[in-house]
Amino acid sequence: NAGVTQTPKFQVLKTGQSMTLQCAQDMNHEYMSWYRQDPGMGLRLIHYSVGAGITDQGEVPNGYNVSRSTTEDFPLRLLSAAPSQTSVYFCASSYLPLGAGNTIYFGEGSWLTVV
Amino acid sequence: GIQVEQSPPDLILQEGANSTLRCNFSDSVNNLQWFHQNPWGQLINLFYIPSGTKQNGRLSATTVATERYSLLYISSSQTTDSGVYFCAVEGQGGSEKLVFGKGTKLTVNP
């Protein structure tokens, strides 16, 4: 049981480049989400999904795209990277509803630097 | 949207001391969880506690929903308790959006 797997762990991008952060979970969770963590800012929700084919925006969605074609995978795409997107990115998953107290599992994080 | 404030932002303790971390939130919540992020960045769920009190070993948490705050108690702290503690809430209505506070950074010295 691998839990939530994020790749890559570290990445350096040049401004304007595109890339995809991968997230996969093997727990058959309906809920998946992406957060970014910046110093002193806590975790901020970028996008989330409550099932295959269903995605929605979080607090800071600009500059990011997502899709959910399968239950297992929830990739995060940066179409044209900007230095402001330098951050640590976390993927999370859970059974629904969150309000029922289902445990939220986080990946180990992806450190992204945009130069 | 719902606002979450945590205090104190930083806390330094000697091993064996007790501590209380606070989380204030601006509206009624459907869900409140406490997380610990260790110094290597790993995030672990500690408590689901939208109301009431729970205990797990040296850690306990209390949420007073009517007064919109939650407290995390750490007793007999150990160096392995170091890291950042986050409170996260989901507003009523089942939005499935967890809003995190900025965290309390705890350092436990030997």
Side-chain angles (χ1 to χ4, degrees):
Chain A
N1 187 344
V4 180
T5 303
Q6 290 183 231
T7 56
K9 194 169 181 68
F10 300 98
Q11 183 72 48
V12 179
L13 281 180
K14 293 183 179 179
T15 298
Q17 285 185 318
S18 63
M19 77 157 299
T20 299
L21 297 176
Q22 302 289 347
C23 178
Q25 52 88 12
D26 60 358
M27 296 171 280
N28 203 31
H29 287 162
E30 307 99 324
Y31 175 85
M32 296 186 75
S33 58
W34 278 102
Y35 289 86
R36 61 177 288 172
Q37 183 176 21
D38 302 294
M41 295 294 292
L43 280 80
R44 292 182 292 169
L45 182 65
I46 304 172
H47 286 284
Y48 68 102
S49 169
V50 296
I54 305 170
T55 64
D56 206 347
Q57 296 181 351
E59 304 169 68
V60 288
N62 292 342
Y64 306 95
N65 281 352
V66 292
S67 59
R68 185 98 178 266
S69 56
T70 66
T71 299
E72 295 79 18
D73 300 298
F74 191 45
L76 179 71
R77 297 182 186 86
L78 287 71
L79 298 180
S80 179
S84 61
Q85 293 178 305
T86 294
S87 189
V88 184
Y89 292 85
F90 287 94
C91 180
S93 74
S94 174
Y95 290 115
L96 285 171
L98 298 182
N102 289 302
T103 300
I104 298 171
Y105 295 87
F106 282 87
E108 294 185 340
S110 296
W111 274 253
L112 176 65
T113 301
V114 182
V115 298
Chain B
I2 196 165
Q3 304 295 314
V4 182
E5 292 187 3
Q6 292 186 243
S7 60
D10 295 280
L11 189 57
I12 300 174
L13 301 174
Q14 288 299 122
E15 204 166 23
N18 302 329
S19 60
T20 301
L21 283 59
R22 186 177 180 101
C23 171
N24 292 333
F25 42 95
S26 61
D27 206 345
S28 300
V29 297
N30 190 49
N31 183 358
L32 187 146
Q33 304 202 24
W34 284 96
F35 294 87
H36 176 228
Q37 185 174 39
N38 67 23
W40 297 271
Q42 186 180 16
L43 279 153
I44 300 295
N45 182 274
L46 295 175
F47 291 104
Y48 163 77
I49 187 160
S51 64
T53 297
K54 287 186 178 179
Q55 181 156 6
N56 185 2
R58 294 181 297 102
L59 273 60
S60 64
T62 295
T63 298
V64 183
T66 53
E67 298 187 21
R68 298 182 183 169
Y69 73 88
S70 182
L71 301 174
L72 179 69
Y73 305 97
I74 305 173
S75 64
S76 303
S77 58
Q78 301 175 357
T79 56
T80 52
D81 295 331
S82 295
V84 183
Y85 290 82
F86 291 103
C87 170
V89 303
E90 177 191 7
Q92 285 193 338
S95 68
E96 311 297 2
K97 292 183 183 180
L98 270 186
V99 177
F100 281 74
K102 295 183 179 180
T104 292
K105 183 178 180 181
L106 175 64
T107 303
V108 181
N109 292 321

